[in-house]
Amino acid sequence: MEQQSIFILETYEQLKVISDPLRTKMLIHLVEQPHTGQMLAQELNLSRAKILYHLRELEKYGIIQLVRKEERGGNVLKFYQAVARGFIPADHLLTYVESKEATRQSYLEVIDRAKTRVLTAPDESFELHSPHVEEWNNLSLQTEFTVSQKKFVEFTQKYRELLKTLKEEDDHPDKQHYYLMSTAFQIEELLFKKEK
């Protein structure tokens, strides 16, 4: 199965099924790679029965699908994967509270997944070979700013285009795997006060 980049949620039932926090957590794993119910139960420290119930609900509404079966020791293992890497409500669903909550939960799960990636990254990921931050082989930053919504949307469009350049084929013999996580959203007030 080839995952879609984006899956548009067309029904309220689809929106409701992914707005559940546990299903969002499961979906993060299923976006990355196929899992069995048992694998998810172990990773999330939950009962297999509970995971299987939620897998059935996600499959019922077309959010995940069965991608392969394997027989091991007389048992048939069913591997499921998300049908897309991202899920967006259709226009007619944007005003539902579940859209907002599903988006908020998705952000929280992405941040939680990023923490796991940091903790499991190899030690060399954090070695510094230069006193100049521009030359580092890693990046960690957070910032706050005040701009118009129009300017912010323009920036996000440019940022997405820039990210596409990283996905272009690179034939360099020393290429490495990298993880990049970005979140951005409106906040009530700045916590990092500007120096005058």
Side-chain angles (χ1 to χ4, degrees):
M1 173 194 95
E2 178 146 351
Q3 278 182 314
Q4 301 172 41
S5 178
I6 297 294
F7 180 89
I8 305 297
L9 303 167
E10 294 291 345
T11 68
Y12 175 74
E13 291 74 19
Q14 287 177 319
L15 177 61
K16 192 163 174 59
V17 83
I18 70 161
S19 65
D20 177 86
L22 174 56
R23 292 180 190 145
T24 305
K25 190 178 291 286
M26 291 169 59
L27 205 48
I28 291 291
H29 291 275
L30 296 171
V31 163
E32 292 176 353
Q33 62 187 6
H35 284 71
T36 66
Q38 184 61 38
M39 292 165 69
L40 284 170
Q42 289 173 339
E43 288 185 31
L44 301 175
N45 198 26
L46 293 167
S47 74
R48 186 169 171 266
K50 185 170 190 165
I51 292 294
L52 290 176
Y53 168 77
H54 291 290
L55 282 174
R56 281 192 295 275
E57 289 296 298
L58 289 166
E59 185 181 29
K60 176 180 171 183
Y61 292 102
I63 307 299
I64 65 170
Q65 68 184 35
L66 180 66
V67 292
R68 75 176 186 272
K69 294 180 182 181
E70 290 180 14
E71 191 171 330
R72 287 191 205 155
N75 293 322
V76 176
L77 303 178
K78 295 180 180 180
F79 287 82
Y80 294 91
Q81 188 166 26
V83 298
R85 291 185 295 279
F87 297 85
I88 299 175
D91 289 350
H92 65 278
L93 297 174
L94 293 176
T95 58
Y96 285 89
V97 69
E98 287 87 353
S99 289
K100 178 179 67 175
E101 289 311 312
T103 303
R104 183 188 308 267
Q105 191 60 38
S106 168
Y107 274 56
L108 289 170
E109 292 306 324
V110 167
I111 291 167
D112 190 48
R113 194 71 186 130
K115 180 179 175 182
T116 300
R117 297 302 298 257
V118 168
L119 292 172
T120 59
D123 289 342
E124 59 264 22
S125 299
F126 307 104
E127 291 175 359
L128 304 179
H129 302 286
S130 167
H132 306 288
V133 68
E134 303 84 14
E135 298 172 5
W136 289 2
N137 193 28
N138 52 41
L139 173 69
S140 177
L141 60 88
Q142 59 178 329
T143 186
E144 297 174 345
F145 42 85
T146 304
V147 295
S148 68
Q149 184 177 5
K150 180 179 185 279
K151 186 169 183 177
F152 179 74
V153 170
E154 288 171 1
F155 168 80
T156 62
Q157 291 168 345
K158 290 176 188 174
Y159 183 68
R160 286 184 174 96
E161 288 300 315
L162 184 60
L163 287 177
K164 287 180 186 175
T165 66
L166 287 176
K167 294 181 179 181
E168 293 169 0
E169 196 59 39
D170 182 359
D171 293 329
H172 195 280
D174 294 335
K175 61 185 175 183
Q176 300 287 324
H177 301 294
Y178 289 91
Y179 175 80
L180 177 65
M181 188 273 300
S182 303
T183 58
F185 45 87
Q186 181 182 336
I187 55 176
E188 290 292 327
E189 63 178 312
L190 298 179
L191 294 179
F192 302 128
K193 303 296 182 196
K194 290 184 179 178
E195 305 254 342
K196 292 188 179 187

